[in-house]
Amino acid sequence: MSAAPEASTAHLVAVESPSKRFFRATEIDTRLLGMVGALILIWVGMDLIGVWKDQGFTLNPLAIWDNHSFLTPRNLWNLLVQTSAIAVMSTGMVLIIVMRHIDLSVGSMLSFIGVITGVAQVYWLSPWLGSESPVIWIVGILVALGAGALLGAFNGFLVAYAGIPSFIVTLGGLIVYSGAAWWVIRGETVAPMDANFELIGGTPSGAWIGGKASWALAAFICLAIVVGIFTNRSARARFKFPQRPIWAEVFLLVVGCAVALGTAWVVNAYPWPAKVAEAYAAEHKIPIPPDGADGLGLAHGFAIPMLIALAVGVIMTFMATRTRFGRYVYAIGGNPEAAELAGVNTRFITLLMFMTMGILTAVSACITSARLDAATNSLGQTNELYVIAATVIGGTSLAGGVGTIYGAMLGALVMQSLQSGMTLLNFDSAVKDVIVGSVLVFAVWVDQIYRRRQA
Amino acid sequence: MKSIKTLLAGAALSALAGALTVGVSTAPAEAAGKKIAVSWKTFQEERWKTDEKAIKAVVEAAGDTYISADAQGSASKQASDIEGLITQKVDVILVVAYDSDAILPSIKKINDAGLKAIAYDVQFEDPNALYITFDNIGVGRLMAKEIVKAKPAGNYAFIKGDKGDPNATFLFSGITEVLKDGMDSGKIKNVCETFTDGWKPDNAQKEMEQCLTKQKNKVDAVVSENDGMASGVVAALKAQGLAGSVPVSGQDGDLAAINRVALGTQTVSIWKDSRALGKAAAEAAVALADGKAVASIPGVAKFNKGKKGVEMNAILLAPTPITRDTLNLVIDAGWITKDKACAGVKAGSVKSCG
């Protein structure tokens, strides 16, 4: 009896296909690969549809490179900036959903926090300290983060200690915070934000780190991957875990580096807008070369909101996979009763998780309001739907226990690619809604099929 | 402590006395002493307080009495409010309808009681009522006119409001009416046109970014249907160093938008002065209360552009385009302080800012 399972596993290993062996050796999640595939499909598809429309509904293969608009450094750069706010919130939403909860209030909370920090900057700090004061943006951010932590903790308290279902608490929050945002400014638009604060949104040229710094960052990421692989190998050796084959390690290193350097290449290929570059040249008394402002060699590079999203992604991944807090989150999501019986303080973890969500919402509120250079009570409303959709597209199970941060961030990129792409192609906005909604349902359906096959 | 109590009692007494005086002074008189009532749909939105102040000022200056009822955002409360006002024997009722169809039975009751009804800002289609509002198609026309003045030819982008809001389409019909000649002759080219979910500024910003990417920055003018979306458009233009050189329109007289007009990043904000609306409506109400014929009130014309096409008398006020040259209008009117309007403006560059 006991020999039977062994025999069957041996049999399985024997017939393992090369692709399966590849995924087992590299330990790559095949669903991640599916998502990347979908993303490439959307990008190339959007690009070709754009060319097709521009060429009068024909595809002349020779002229494709002259007419395309989606796969241009400029559009991809925009796409990354536009994704960052949703991506930041989706990293928290994953863990909320993993814990079998939901947060419907993030969109309204974003608008409330945006309005608070806007009012703090424009109506309180700026008249008091003078609009040039460097303190304004710091206090503005602290106010936002503080408000986010407080509101999130309050949500968490009601869920964890008062025992109200999170769906209800945050549904109430959705209504309350949008009312509160209205109440603070009465439908007015608060603008302009502090000039330093605006950098968080990535709009002014000061928010672009430029070519050299972008290459350096990409190189640093490569280095970090190398270090990561070595520490991982030594840790596995210490605990006598099976090692990945060397070819798999090299493969991961090459792919990781290629992604980092490739992204840097793309963002560096987007030169400064002509007018901005000319203004910069005039200010620094640099002569403008005869071939125009592009000849100045000023590249955008990464923008601050992208870096914020990247940092949040790294921190949240670390929190989810390397800390006790993260393990408890997944333990509670997998089986709340078992986690409770094992001595996990589930209530406190829940409160902390909602508080984290609030802080992340505050970060997004800063990015969104800084990007618009204004705060209004419509800012961020209905964002909760996009955040949840991104999370779900990213492979998070609404049943709890399963979900990854990078998946959710990729999901956000997929959603934004669809939306930006369709705007770029001048799609009717009703059609846009129909497609985005359908893609959400389709993605979850495909995921279900995949899971059933795995099981 | 005792003194406060006395004070309160005194206040209560004088209030009571005041109420009594009002009750006594409503004896019929020729020109003065009429009762003019307003049935508001809700006081949740701050703007109605501005309207109320303007109406009250005109009514009281004419020696009439102002009565107000707040329906608190409920169609049924509004119906009983109006019944109550009819019982109080008021002369004219201005109605800000919460629901333009559900209000009709109440309007019939007003007519049957021999009183006059005025549709204030929100239309209900009753041939006996007078409708007073801003000319909404005219807002679209004004926007387009100001933009054409600044940029008579070139690539135009259109950032429209929410697709579910009929106003977005109304505005656009006014806009295209003005631009039709230029578009037909090919001088004006429509390069981007899109609805904006929820009239949201951040959506408008993304749309504008996409439009600029697609057109490789060759956009010469942007017609945005309101000020909130204009803020998103300007942010997108700013990132490309184009803010200030590409004309942008808007409406509502948002304080931030007026500041942008002063700074030169927005060309025009069409301003609907709710005090002018209140004043016009109150003057009409006073005239009707004095028994004057509707047709004799200045500005009255026939209107049948409503949902059901019912012909009724209407006063359509022209909104005011606020540009750099007419900034003083909003400042003088007390709509915005000079400090707020002129924040960040270089001294001497704008006349109204000094």
Side-chain angles (χ1 to χ4, degrees), chain A residues 208-254:
Chain A
W208 312 327
I209 67 168
K212 279 180 204 150
S214 299
W215 285 123
L217 178 67
F220 174 78
I221 292 172
C222 282
L223 196 71
I225 295 174
V226 175
V227 172
I229 287 176
F230 275 105
T231 48
N232 185 281
R233 281 192 83 86
S234 68
R236 285 182 191 222
R238 197 151 22 105
F239 295 112
K240 304 204 166 58
F241 279 8
Q243 295 285 5
R244 275 193 285 245
I246 295 295
W247 64 265
E249 303 275 23
V250 172
F251 174 81
L252 288 177
L253 172 67
V254 169

Side-chain angles (χ1 to χ4, degrees), chain B:
Chain B
M1 198 56 209
K2 202 177 173 189
S3 66
I4 292 176
K5 264 189 192 161
T6 334
L7 209 68
L8 282 177
L13 266 179
S14 59
L16 196 64
L20 281 174
T21 346
V22 170
V24 172
S25 73
T26 47
E30 253 322 291
K34 304 284 185 184
K35 283 200 247 180
I36 291 169
V38 185
S39 167
W40 301 98
K41 62 172 175 179
T42 171
F43 261 148
Q44 279 278 306
E45 294 167 38
E46 196 181 57
R47 75 152 278 199
W48 302 116
K49 304 262 183 205
T50 321
D51 296 61
E52 182 178 45
K53 226 168 113 190
I55 294 173
K56 216 170 162 183
V58 173
V59 169
E60 284 172 357
D64 294 340
T65 309
Y66 170 81
I67 298 169
S68 129
D70 175 11
Q72 294 165 348
S74 149
S76 58
K77 169 122 179 17
Q78 188 157 38
S80 54
D81 278 354
I82 289 176
E83 275 170 8
L85 292 172
I86 295 173
T87 326
Q88 285 186 55
K89 293 207 167 61
V90 298
D91 297 279
V92 179
I93 304 179
L94 291 99
V95 181
V96 185
Y98 177 72
D99 181 320
S100 25
D101 289 320
I103 199 78
L104 290 175
S106 304
I107 304 302
K108 187 167 180 297
K109 276 184 203 156
I110 297 178
N111 294 333
D112 290 349
L115 312 177
K116 300 277 181 353
I118 295 179
Y120 184 78
D121 202 50
V122 181
Q123 191 188 11
F124 50 78
E125 298 187 61
D126 182 296
N128 299 310
L130 173 65
Y131 173 38
I132 301 183
T133 188
F134 279 102
D135 181 2
N136 277 312
I137 300 175
V139 173
R141 281 194 211 114
L142 280 174
M143 276 176 186
K145 270 183 196 155
E146 291 297 331
I147 295 296
V148 169
K149 224 192 276 174
K151 199 70 90 179
N155 293 342
Y156 274 49
F158 299 92
I159 307 294
K160 303 190 285 183
D162 192 280
K163 60 179 174 292
D165 186 341
N167 262 328
T169 314
F170 269 144
L171 285 163
F172 197 63
S173 73
I175 291 165
T176 39
E177 199 183 300
V178 172
L179 299 181
K180 195 175 175 301
D181 287 346
M183 285 176 141
D184 287 349
S185 70
K187 261 169 51 186
I188 292 170
K189 215 175 129 202
N190 176 349
V191 289
C192 311
E193 178 191 329
T194 172
F195 282 113
T196 309
D197 283 340
W199 299 82
K200 282 171 65 184
D202 44 340
N203 286 341
Q205 182 177 16
K206 285 178 193 161
E207 288 158 9
M208 196 62 220
E209 279 169 354
Q210 261 23 54
C211 177
L212 288 168
T213 303
K214 177 89 185 146
Q215 297 302 324
K216 304 199 168 68
N217 282 4
K218 289 192 193 81
V219 174
D220 300 306
V222 185
V223 182
S224 150
E225 286 189 351
N226 81 0
D227 282 342
M229 299 193 301
S231 72
V233 169
V234 170
L237 289 171
K238 198 168 161 190
Q240 296 297 322
L242 296 171
S245 59
V246 175
V248 178
S249 70
Q251 66 152 323
D252 291 340
D254 270 10
L255 303 189
I258 290 169
N259 181 233
R260 280 196 299 274
V261 169
L263 291 167
T265 51
Q266 186 175 329
T267 316
V268 63
S269 172
I270 311 296
W271 179 46
K272 295 184 279 187
D273 184 358
S274 44
R275 285 160 315 161
L277 191 65
K279 186 162 168 281
E283 281 167 0
V286 169
L288 286 178
D290 289 346
K292 292 198 180 114
V294 176
S296 72
I297 297 168
V300 169
K302 295 287 177 195
F303 179 86
N304 60 4
K305 297 239 172 73
K307 226 172 13 187
K308 299 176 205 152
V310 175
E311 186 172 81
M312 56 197 295
N313 291 306
I315 299 177
L316 298 182
L317 294 188
T320 322
I322 300 300
T323 62
R324 266 188 142 174
D325 302 325
T326 55
L327 264 185
N328 57 315
L329 294 178
V330 266
I331 299 173
D332 296 345
W335 175 257
I336 184 172
T337 61
K338 195 170 164 185
D339 288 351
K340 266 192 187 172
C342 299
V345 175
K346 255 190 230 136
S349 63
V350 179
K351 199 177 67 192
S352 311
C353 293

Side-chain angles (χ1 to χ4, degrees), chain A residues 323-455:
Chain A
T323 65
R324 192 186 291 175
F325 171 76
R327 270 190 290 278
Y328 284 173
V329 165
Y330 281 89
I332 294 170
N335 188 337
E337 288 79 21
E340 177 109 51
L341 290 172
V344 176
N345 187 346
T346 54
R347 289 179 168 190
F348 188 61
I349 298 288
T350 307
L351 184 125
L352 274 187
M353 196 50 241
F354 273 91
M355 194 170 104
T356 312
M357 188 70 238
I359 294 170
L360 292 169
T361 308
V363 172
S364 288
C366 289
I367 295 177
T368 322
S369 59
R371 206 167 106 72
L372 186 63
D373 193 17
T376 72
N377 49 342
S378 73
L379 209 67
Q381 275 178 20
T382 68
N383 268 8
E384 63 278 352
L385 300 180
Y386 294 114
V387 173
I388 293 169
T391 313
V392 170
I393 288 179
T396 304
S397 160
L398 283 173
V402 180
T404 57
I405 309 276
Y406 61 79
M409 294 182 89
L410 262 177
L413 190 58
V414 168
M415 291 279 292
Q416 192 59 52
S417 299
L418 272 176
Q419 285 184 307
S420 302
M422 285 190 284
T423 314
L424 196 69
L425 301 179
N426 246 336
F427 268 52
D428 189 80
S429 81
V431 176
K432 225 159 46 178
D433 291 351
V434 170
I435 293 180
V436 170
S438 310
V439 166
L440 170 66
V441 176
F442 181 73
V444 174
W445 180 60
V446 170
D447 201 52
Q448 289 290 343
I449 293 179
Y450 175 82
R451 271 171 220 244
R452 240 172 281 154
R453 286 219 176 149
Q454 288 293 91

